[in-house]
């Protein structure tokens, strides 16, 4: 367990350093690289937080190694070759611990600390992960209770056209829901676009469909859950919440960039107006982890 905690802390430190490095370079690459590139660069940081290396080659591992060596050295007597000591009172000799015994005792001490740290870390990580799963399931149930299947052939054909343009073979379901005020997509393997109740023009709906289908095509839901695993594993590190925020922001910007790249000036303005109209609305229930929405919103699982 002591080695595990060393690796965990080492990954947390090295992941934070990589995160700060990329954030520090952001002013240099912000206008030179695509939003899509800026979105997926955070996967490297997420993997750095999760993929272990041996603690001897990592920062925290080296620090722990030096710390353990110091503890052991300080416990070793000045003359380790002496194994007995004369008792001047009764002329008897008493064995004293040798350097090997002291080393073993010194190495047991940090092990107890690591066991305690492992118990605290694993308990809170498990509680946080279960909480996220529970909120996800309650959100899905909340949405399902208000869903009404759309059978309008015109809308279904419009959605089918958008799927064809993006080369999406999976059938995406469509429904209305009076409990939301902004379009969203839910579902990992059975995607569903959920629309708020209201009158929307065909062009506005086509923008909505393309936006949500791009989220599905980019597998943004899986990406967001990867970040949530990082948050659960490194709950003690405040920088993982900064990573979560950057990924959510880059997710929407990447999606918008892909849409805008194929639009002319007039349709770009129309698409922008569509985004603004939904940004002004407030959902009754928000969950960026359980869904991917038309507009960026603050994570509900902080």
């Amino acid at each position: 367990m002591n080695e595990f905690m060393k690796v965990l802390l080492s990954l947390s430190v090295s992941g934070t350093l990589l995160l700060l490095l990329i954030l520090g370079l952001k002013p240099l690459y912000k206008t030179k690289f695509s939003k899509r590139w800026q979105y997926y660069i955070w996967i490297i940081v997420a993997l750095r937080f999760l993929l272990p290396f041996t603690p001897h080659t990592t920062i925290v591992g080296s620090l722990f190694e030096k710390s353990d060596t110091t503890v052991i050295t300080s416990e070793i007597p000045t003359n380790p070759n002496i194994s007995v000591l004369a008792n001047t009172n009764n002329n008897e000799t008493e064995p004293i611990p040798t350097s090997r015994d002291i080393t073993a005792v010194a190495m047991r001490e940090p092990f107890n600390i690591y066991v305690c740290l492992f118990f605290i870390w694993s308990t809170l990580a498990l509680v946080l992960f279960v909480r996220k799963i529970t909120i996800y399931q309650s959100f899905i149930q909340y949405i399902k209770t208000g869903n009404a299947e759309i059978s309008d052939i015109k809308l279904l054909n419009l959605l089918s056209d958008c799927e064809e343009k993006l080369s999406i073979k999976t059938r995406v379901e469509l429904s209305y829901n009076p409990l939301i005020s902004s379009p969203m997509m839910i579902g990992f393997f059975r995607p569903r676009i959920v629309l708020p109740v209201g009158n929307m023009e065909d062009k506005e709906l086509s923008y909505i469909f393309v936006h949500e289908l791009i989220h599905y095509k980019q597998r943004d839901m899986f990406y967001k859950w990867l970040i949530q695993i990082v948050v659960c594993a490194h709950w003690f590190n405040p920088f993982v919440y900064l990573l979560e925020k950057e990924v959510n922001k880059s997710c929407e910007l990447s999606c918008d960039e892909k849409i805008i790249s194929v639009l002319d000036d007039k349709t770009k303005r129309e698409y922008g107006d569509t985004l603004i109209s939904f940004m002004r609305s407030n959902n009754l229930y928000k969950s960026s982890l359980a869904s991917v929405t038309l507009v960026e919103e603050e994570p509900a699982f902080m």
Side-chain angles (χ1 to χ4, degrees):
M1 291 184 185
N2 57 338
E3 291 300 315
F4 176 84
M5 293 307 299
K6 288 179 184 180
V7 172
L8 178 67
L9 293 175
S10 179
L11 291 177
S12 195
V13 171
S14 56
T16 299
L17 293 177
L18 183 57
L19 170 66
L20 295 176
L21 175 63
I22 294 178
L23 283 177
L25 296 175
K26 194 172 183 178
L28 300 178
Y29 66 73
K30 188 174 182 179
T31 57
K32 295 182 180 180
F33 295 98
S34 67
K35 300 298 180 184
R36 183 180 177 84
W37 184 91
Q38 295 179 46
Y39 175 42
Y40 286 110
I41 190 66
W42 296 116
I43 290 182
I44 299 176
V45 180
L47 294 178
R48 175 63 266 186
F49 274 107
L50 294 177
L51 296 182
F53 294 90
T54 57
H56 301 289
T57 61
T58 54
I59 299 172
V60 175
S62 300
L63 293 177
F64 271 105
E65 188 177 304
K66 291 179 181 179
S67 176
D68 290 345
T69 303
T70 303
V71 172
I72 294 172
T73 304
S74 65
E75 296 291 336
I76 298 176
T78 305
N79 189 357
N81 295 323
I82 299 177
S83 60
V84 295
L85 181 65
N87 188 324
T88 56
N89 294 331
N90 52 18
N91 296 323
E92 294 180 358
T93 59
E94 294 181 0
I96 65 172
T98 63
S99 60
R100 180 180 299 177
D101 297 331
I102 294 175
T103 301
V105 172
M107 292 187 68
R108 280 192 221 109
E109 190 63 28
F111 176 77
N112 294 331
I113 297 175
Y114 294 134
V115 169
C116 182
L117 290 176
F118 176 80
F119 177 77
I120 295 173
W121 168 82
S122 60
T123 300
L124 292 178
L126 180 61
V127 168
L128 185 59
F129 186 72
V130 170
R131 177 177 177 269
K132 290 179 182 294
I133 294 292
T134 302
I135 295 177
Y136 171 78
Q137 291 177 337
S138 64
F139 173 82
I140 296 299
Q141 291 300 319
Y142 173 87
I143 293 298
K144 285 183 176 180
T145 57
N147 273 353
E149 291 287 339
I150 293 178
S151 56
D152 189 333
I153 299 299
K154 182 180 179 181
L155 291 182
L156 295 176
N157 286 337
L158 181 60
L159 175 60
S160 179
D161 291 340
C162 294
E163 291 173 354
E164 187 176 349
K165 289 178 182 178
L166 294 173
S167 301
I168 295 176
K169 305 298 183 181
T170 305
R171 178 178 176 270
V172 179
E173 299 177 349
L174 189 62
S175 62
Y176 280 123
N177 195 313
L179 302 177
I180 64 172
S181 57
S182 179
M184 63 177 62
M185 173 175 280
I186 60 174
F188 284 92
F189 305 106
R190 295 184 60 185
R192 175 185 295 274
I193 295 177
V194 186
L195 301 175
V197 176
N199 296 323
M200 287 178 279
E201 299 179 357
D202 290 350
K203 187 169 291 187
E204 190 176 17
L205 284 169
S206 66
Y207 294 147
I208 292 171
F209 292 157
V210 170
H211 184 102
E212 301 302 339
L213 289 172
I214 288 176
H215 276 309
Y216 173 74
K217 191 172 183 179
Q218 292 182 162
R219 297 294 187 265
D220 290 334
M221 194 83 75
F222 293 94
Y223 193 173
K224 287 191 174 187
W225 271 103
L226 172 66
I227 299 302
Q228 294 308 311
I229 293 174
V230 173
V231 171
C232 291
H234 297 271
W235 53 263
F236 53 87
N237 187 341
F239 289 99
V240 296
Y241 303 101
L242 178 59
L243 173 64
E244 181 185 26
K245 184 177 180 180
E246 289 293 327
V247 168
N248 287 333
K249 184 190 302 180
S250 300
C251 176
E252 295 303 326
L253 293 176
S254 171
C255 184
D256 293 336
E257 179 189 59
K258 189 166 185 178
I259 297 174
I260 291 174
S261 64
V262 296
L263 301 179
D264 55 34
D265 292 337
K266 181 181 178 181
T267 49
K268 283 180 183 179
R269 287 192 295 270
E270 292 174 348
Y271 177 70
D273 292 339
T274 302
L275 290 178
I276 293 173
S277 65
F278 287 109
M279 287 177 66
R280 290 173 178 169
S281 61
N282 293 315
N283 286 344
L284 300 178
Y285 193 120
K286 290 187 177 182
S287 176
S288 63
L289 176 58
S291 64
V292 280
T293 62
L294 182 67
V295 295
E296 178 191 352
E297 60 187 25
E298 291 299 320
F301 302 100
M302 293 295 287

